[in-house]
Amino acid sequence: MNILVLNCGSSSAKYKLIEIKQNRTLAEGGVEKIGLPDAFIKLKFPDGSKKQIDLDIKDHQGAIRAILEALTSDEYGCIKGYDQIDAVGHRVVHGGEKFSQSVLITDEVKAMIRECYDIAPLHNPVNMAGIDAIDAILPHVPQVAVFDTAFHQTMSKAAYMYALPERFYTDDHVRRYGFHGTSHRYVSRKACEMAGIDPDHARVVCCHIGNGASISAVVNGKSIDTSMGLTPTEGLMMGTRSGDVDPGALLYLMEKYNLTPKQMVAIINKESGVQGVTGISSDMREIVDAADAGNAKARLALDMYELRILKYIGAYVAEMNGVDLIAFTGGVGENQTPTRRNVCRNLTYLGVKIDETLNDELWHGKDGVISTPDSAVKVVVTLTDEEYMIARDTEAIVEGL
């Protein structure tokens, strides 16, 4: 079964075509800068080579059409026709309280996704644009929605409620939802298997650390808490997102500088985090290089970044009454060896011990156990694969039709 996985962003559409029975990636890539004059599609081939083609792409339907044409082209394609695509799985960021698992996309499901527009205005509309594009181009191909928020629907009310007047929850659905759920679900289970631990009888702290970052507490395969909230802005310090900030500080700045809500949203989502503290970049690789060269702001940003991670790990260990495994994933979690080392050095009170040599070796596409055999807590670096999870969910739902 060939499953096309789509992840549509505001100006992009990433894709991966997976032959799911053998877990083979047939093709992957993405369209960037949709609607801009310098739009292009980037193709990645199984041998690791890449090609970029400039295109005139005005909207997401044009982007999806460009992806399908690339998959079936004589020069770059891997399938002969659209009829070789058996199903399409979509990453949908926000499912609200409506979806606790992946679902076949129907008219009713589309309506419920649209109902979440007000709490995910940057994500759900473009996710729907991808769904609508497939409807228009491949109307008979089944589609499945896999929600970032679904994995966290097992949180207790004590964990997901905010200490606000209850009417804001009952009337406006303001609560913690969490994100990166597909990654946390995959990584928490895979890391346990790598460490020889039964994931259905384990306490796991899962650290998805990248330009966007979140940490989850997973007990016996179920999420009981997570750092992101109503939006992906809450929690850890990120590339351009602030993470946790005293709301009083935001109100103070809005009043002092006469900022609109829209302006403040832009500040905390696009101008803050590592970028805001350093004024250099949102790319952690550049921040590490600058810190190594003696840049004080870059060093401060790294210290802040790592301290936030450490605080959430500590909080979740307390909430779970212990921990069996800590997993690192995401761009930084998989590749930034000093961050893993610095965080773990402050967890020795839990009996955490890592093999420094192994830790230094695991980056750039490598994963494995980095804790020592006598460590009381297993520490694992795990490559995430959200597309595979989306494809697996899509397969299960489509085969059940």
Side-chain angles (χ1 to χ4, degrees), residues 166-190:
E166 189 184 23
R167 66 181 182 275
F168 294 123
Y169 170 65
T170 56
D171 297 344
D172 304 299
H173 312 293
V174 173
R175 52 158 283 184
R176 174 175 289 107
Y177 290 97
F179 298 88
H180 294 141
T182 307
S183 176
H184 286 296
R185 177 161 59 109
Y186 175 81
V187 168
S188 59
R189 184 162 291 273
K190 181 185 175 187

Short mmCIF file of all heavy atoms in Angstrom, two decimals, residues 166-190:
data_model
loop_
_atom_site.label_atom_id
_atom_site.label_comp_id
_atom_site.label_asym_id
_atom_site.label_seq_id
_atom_site.Cartn_x
_atom_site.Cartn_y
_atom_site.Cartn_z
N GLU A 166 -14.10 29.44 34.91
CA GLU A 166 -14.50 28.23 34.20
C GLU A 166 -15.22 28.51 32.89
O GLU A 166 -15.17 27.70 31.95
CB GLU A 166 -15.38 27.36 35.09
CG GLU A 166 -15.64 25.98 34.48
CD GLU A 166 -16.59 25.15 35.32
OE1 GLU A 166 -17.38 25.75 36.08
OE2 GLU A 166 -16.55 23.92 35.19
N ARG A 167 -15.86 29.67 32.79
CA ARG A 167 -16.61 29.97 31.56
C ARG A 167 -15.70 30.00 30.33
O ARG A 167 -16.15 29.74 29.22
CB ARG A 167 -17.34 31.29 31.70
CG ARG A 167 -16.46 32.53 31.81
CD ARG A 167 -17.30 33.80 31.98
NE ARG A 167 -16.49 35.01 32.04
CZ ARG A 167 -15.94 35.49 33.14
NH1 ARG A 167 -16.11 34.83 34.29
NH2 ARG A 167 -15.23 36.60 33.11
N PHE A 168 -14.42 30.33 30.53
CA PHE A 168 -13.52 30.37 29.39
C PHE A 168 -13.21 28.96 28.85
O PHE A 168 -12.88 28.79 27.68
CB PHE A 168 -12.21 31.10 29.74
CG PHE A 168 -12.41 32.56 30.02
CD1 PHE A 168 -12.00 33.10 31.22
CD2 PHE A 168 -13.03 33.38 29.09
CE1 PHE A 168 -12.19 34.44 31.50
CE2 PHE A 168 -13.22 34.73 29.36
CZ PHE A 168 -12.80 35.26 30.56
N TYR A 169 -13.37 27.98 29.74
CA TYR A 169 -13.24 26.58 29.28
C TYR A 169 -14.55 26.09 28.69
O TYR A 169 -14.59 25.57 27.57
CB TYR A 169 -12.82 25.67 30.42
CG TYR A 169 -12.90 24.20 30.07
CD1 TYR A 169 -12.10 23.64 29.07
CD2 TYR A 169 -13.84 23.37 30.70
CE1 TYR A 169 -12.20 22.30 28.73
CE2 TYR A 169 -13.95 22.03 30.36
CZ TYR A 169 -13.13 21.51 29.37
OH TYR A 169 -13.24 20.19 29.02
N THR A 170 -15.63 26.29 29.40
CA THR A 170 -16.92 25.75 28.92
C THR A 170 -17.42 26.46 27.66
O THR A 170 -17.98 25.81 26.77
CB THR A 170 -17.99 25.87 30.03
OG1 THR A 170 -18.09 27.24 30.45
CG2 THR A 170 -17.63 25.01 31.23
N ASP A 171 -17.19 27.76 27.56
CA ASP A 171 -17.70 28.51 26.42
C ASP A 171 -16.70 28.63 25.27
O ASP A 171 -17.09 28.64 24.10
CB ASP A 171 -18.10 29.94 26.85
CG ASP A 171 -19.24 29.96 27.86
OD1 ASP A 171 -19.91 28.90 28.00
OD2 ASP A 171 -19.44 30.99 28.51
N ASP A 172 -15.41 28.71 25.62
CA ASP A 172 -14.40 29.02 24.61
C ASP A 172 -13.35 27.93 24.44
O ASP A 172 -12.43 28.07 23.63
CB ASP A 172 -13.70 30.34 24.97
CG ASP A 172 -14.69 31.48 25.12
OD1 ASP A 172 -15.38 31.79 24.13
OD2 ASP A 172 -14.80 32.04 26.23
N HIS A 173 -13.45 26.85 25.23
CA HIS A 173 -12.55 25.69 25.09
C HIS A 173 -11.09 26.05 25.34
O HIS A 173 -10.18 25.46 24.74
CB HIS A 173 -12.72 25.04 23.71
CG HIS A 173 -14.14 24.80 23.33
ND1 HIS A 173 -14.92 23.88 23.98
CD2 HIS A 173 -14.92 25.38 22.38
CE1 HIS A 173 -16.14 23.88 23.45
NE2 HIS A 173 -16.17 24.79 22.48
N VAL A 174 -10.84 27.01 26.23
CA VAL A 174 -9.47 27.39 26.57
C VAL A 174 -8.94 26.41 27.61
O VAL A 174 -9.45 26.32 28.74
CB VAL A 174 -9.42 28.83 27.11
CG1 VAL A 174 -8.02 29.16 27.62
CG2 VAL A 174 -9.82 29.81 26.01
N ARG A 175 -7.93 25.64 27.23
CA ARG A 175 -7.31 24.63 28.07
C ARG A 175 -5.98 24.24 27.45
O ARG A 175 -5.64 24.68 26.35
CB ARG A 175 -8.21 23.39 28.19
CG ARG A 175 -8.66 22.83 26.85
CD ARG A 175 -9.07 21.37 26.91
NE ARG A 175 -7.89 20.51 26.95
CZ ARG A 175 -7.94 19.18 26.91
NH1 ARG A 175 -9.11 18.57 26.88
NH2 ARG A 175 -6.84 18.46 26.92
N ARG A 176 -5.22 23.43 28.15
CA ARG A 176 -3.98 22.91 27.56
C ARG A 176 -4.33 21.73 26.64
O ARG A 176 -5.04 20.80 27.05
CB ARG A 176 -3.02 22.45 28.65
CG ARG A 176 -1.77 21.76 28.12
CD ARG A 176 -0.76 21.43 29.21
NE ARG A 176 -0.14 22.64 29.71
CZ ARG A 176 -0.39 23.19 30.88
NH1 ARG A 176 -1.28 22.63 31.68
NH2 ARG A 176 0.20 24.29 31.25
N TYR A 177 -3.83 21.78 25.41
CA TYR A 177 -4.05 20.68 24.47
C TYR A 177 -2.76 19.93 24.18
O TYR A 177 -2.75 18.71 24.06
CB TYR A 177 -4.62 21.22 23.15
CG TYR A 177 -6.04 21.71 23.25
CD1 TYR A 177 -6.32 23.05 23.44
CD2 TYR A 177 -7.10 20.82 23.20
CE1 TYR A 177 -7.63 23.51 23.55
CE2 TYR A 177 -8.42 21.25 23.31
CZ TYR A 177 -8.67 22.60 23.48
OH TYR A 177 -9.96 23.04 23.60
N GLY A 178 -1.66 20.66 24.08
CA GLY A 178 -0.38 20.02 23.76
C GLY A 178 -0.24 19.75 22.27
O GLY A 178 -1.23 19.65 21.54
N PHE A 179 1.01 19.64 21.83
CA PHE A 179 1.30 19.42 20.42
C PHE A 179 2.45 18.42 20.29
O PHE A 179 2.88 17.84 21.28
CB PHE A 179 1.62 20.75 19.73
CG PHE A 179 0.46 21.71 19.78
CD1 PHE A 179 0.29 22.57 20.85
CD2 PHE A 179 -0.50 21.71 18.78
CE1 PHE A 179 -0.79 23.43 20.92
CE2 PHE A 179 -1.59 22.56 18.84
CZ PHE A 179 -1.73 23.42 19.91
N HIS A 180 2.92 18.21 19.08
CA HIS A 180 3.96 17.20 18.80
C HIS A 180 3.50 15.81 19.25
O HIS A 180 4.32 14.92 19.49
CB HIS A 180 5.28 17.52 19.52
CG HIS A 180 5.96 18.76 19.04
ND1 HIS A 180 6.60 19.64 19.89
CD2 HIS A 180 6.11 19.29 17.80
CE1 HIS A 180 7.10 20.65 19.21
NE2 HIS A 180 6.83 20.46 17.92
N GLY A 181 2.19 15.62 19.34
CA GLY A 181 1.69 14.36 19.89
C GLY A 181 2.08 13.13 19.08
O GLY A 181 2.38 12.07 19.65
N THR A 182 2.12 13.27 17.76
CA THR A 182 2.50 12.12 16.92
C THR A 182 3.94 11.73 17.18
O THR A 182 4.28 10.55 17.26
CB THR A 182 2.30 12.46 15.44
OG1 THR A 182 0.96 12.93 15.24
CG2 THR A 182 2.53 11.25 14.56
N SER A 183 4.81 12.74 17.35
CA SER A 183 6.21 12.47 17.67
C SER A 183 6.36 11.86 19.06
O SER A 183 7.08 10.88 19.25
CB SER A 183 7.03 13.76 17.57
OG SER A 183 8.37 13.54 17.96
N HIS A 184 5.68 12.43 20.06
CA HIS A 184 5.79 11.90 21.42
C HIS A 184 5.28 10.46 21.49
O HIS A 184 5.85 9.62 22.20
CB HIS A 184 4.99 12.78 22.39
CG HIS A 184 5.66 14.09 22.70
ND1 HIS A 184 6.86 14.17 23.36
CD2 HIS A 184 5.29 15.37 22.44
CE1 HIS A 184 7.21 15.44 23.50
NE2 HIS A 184 6.28 16.19 22.94
N ARG A 185 4.22 10.16 20.77
CA ARG A 185 3.68 8.79 20.76
C ARG A 185 4.70 7.83 20.17
O ARG A 185 4.95 6.75 20.73
CB ARG A 185 2.38 8.77 19.94
CG ARG A 185 1.75 7.39 19.78
CD ARG A 185 0.29 7.49 19.38
NE ARG A 185 0.08 8.21 18.15
CZ ARG A 185 -0.30 7.64 17.00
NH1 ARG A 185 -0.47 6.33 16.92
NH2 ARG A 185 -0.52 8.36 15.92
N TYR A 186 5.30 8.21 19.05
CA TYR A 186 6.28 7.35 18.37
C TYR A 186 7.55 7.19 19.21
O TYR A 186 8.02 6.07 19.45
CB TYR A 186 6.62 7.94 17.01
CG TYR A 186 7.70 7.19 16.25
CD1 TYR A 186 7.40 6.05 15.53
CD2 TYR A 186 9.01 7.64 16.27
CE1 TYR A 186 8.38 5.36 14.85
CE2 TYR A 186 10.01 6.96 15.58
CZ TYR A 186 9.69 5.83 14.86
OH TYR A 186 10.67 5.15 14.19
N VAL A 187 8.09 8.30 19.66
CA VAL A 187 9.39 8.28 20.34
C VAL A 187 9.31 7.60 21.70
O VAL A 187 10.20 6.83 22.06
CB VAL A 187 9.94 9.72 20.47
CG1 VAL A 187 11.13 9.77 21.43
CG2 VAL A 187 10.35 10.26 19.10
N SER A 188 8.26 7.88 22.46
CA SER A 188 8.17 7.27 23.79
C SER A 188 8.13 5.75 23.70
O SER A 188 8.69 5.05 24.55
CB SER A 188 6.94 7.80 24.54
OG SER A 188 5.75 7.53 23.84
N ARG A 189 7.49 5.23 22.68
CA ARG A 189 7.41 3.78 22.51
C ARG A 189 8.71 3.22 21.93
O ARG A 189 9.25 2.22 22.42
CB ARG A 189 6.23 3.42 21.61
CG ARG A 189 5.98 1.93 21.43
CD ARG A 189 4.59 1.66 20.91
NE ARG A 189 3.58 1.96 21.92
CZ ARG A 189 3.17 1.08 22.84
NH1 ARG A 189 3.67 -0.13 22.88
NH2 ARG A 189 2.24 1.43 23.72
N LYS A 190 9.23 3.88 20.88
CA LYS A 190 10.44 3.37 20.25
C LYS A 190 11.63 3.40 21.21
O LYS A 190 12.44 2.47 21.25
CB LYS A 190 10.77 4.18 19.00
CG LYS A 190 12.01 3.68 18.26
CD LYS A 190 12.40 4.57 17.10
CE LYS A 190 13.71 4.11 16.47
NZ LYS A 190 14.21 5.05 15.44
#
